[in-house]
């Protein structure tokens, strides 16, 4: 990835400038995470079909860039968001 801001620019920035930059970075990260995770939130009950055909039900406990971590009774699964269905 290209350096968007030089180290020199960061060193000469004011505290207010750095806080504004931090807010912008956090907003950009959250936007990327929600675009991947869609409407799923930590704590949601979800289900999906495993490779062996079993239907797995669990709880979302972490949303990553490409996968959502789902905790079932005995296993933690990394699942592509498009494979998940919300459980009522």
């Amino acid at each position: 990835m290209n350096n968007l801001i030089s180290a020199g620019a960061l060193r000469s920035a004011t505290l207010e400038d750095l806080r504004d930059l931090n807010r912008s970075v956090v907003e950009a990260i959250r936007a990327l995470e929600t675009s991947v995770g869609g409407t799923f939130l930590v704590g949601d009950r979800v289900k999906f079909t495993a490779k062996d055909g079993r239907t797995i039900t669990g709880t979302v406990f972490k949303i990553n860039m490409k996968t959502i971590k789902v905790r079932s009774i005995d296993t933690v699964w990394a699942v592509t968001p498009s494979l998940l269905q919300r459980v009522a």
Side-chain angles (χ1 to χ4, degrees), residues 21-40:
L21 177 61
N22 181 56
R23 277 187 220 100
S24 297
V25 169
V26 169
E27 287 173 8
I29 289 170
R30 286 184 180 151
L32 286 171
E33 288 175 342
T34 48
S35 69
V36 171
T39 60
F40 295 105

Side-chain angles (χ1 to χ4, degrees), residues 4-80:
L4 300 175
I5 299 173
S6 70
L10 288 175
R11 280 192 289 278
S12 64
T14 66
L15 184 57
E16 185 178 344
D17 290 338
L18 293 172
R19 285 186 176 142
D20 288 341
L21 177 61
N22 181 56
R23 277 187 220 100
S24 297
V25 169
V26 169
E27 287 173 8
I29 289 170
R30 286 184 180 151
L32 286 171
E33 288 175 342
T34 48
S35 69
V36 171
T39 60
F40 295 105
L41 300 171
V42 172
D44 283 349
R45 296 280 298 158
V46 293
K47 68 178 181 178
F48 64 96
T49 303
K51 290 180 180 179
D52 62 4
R54 294 181 295 149
T55 298
I56 307 295
T57 302
T59 304
V60 173
F61 78 93
K62 185 173 183 183
I63 299 174
N64 293 319
M65 293 299 291
K66 294 183 181 179
T67 62
I68 294 180
K69 296 278 187 162
V70 176
R71 182 173 291 151
S72 66
I73 293 172
D74 60 348
T75 308
V76 172
W77 302 82
V79 184
T80 302

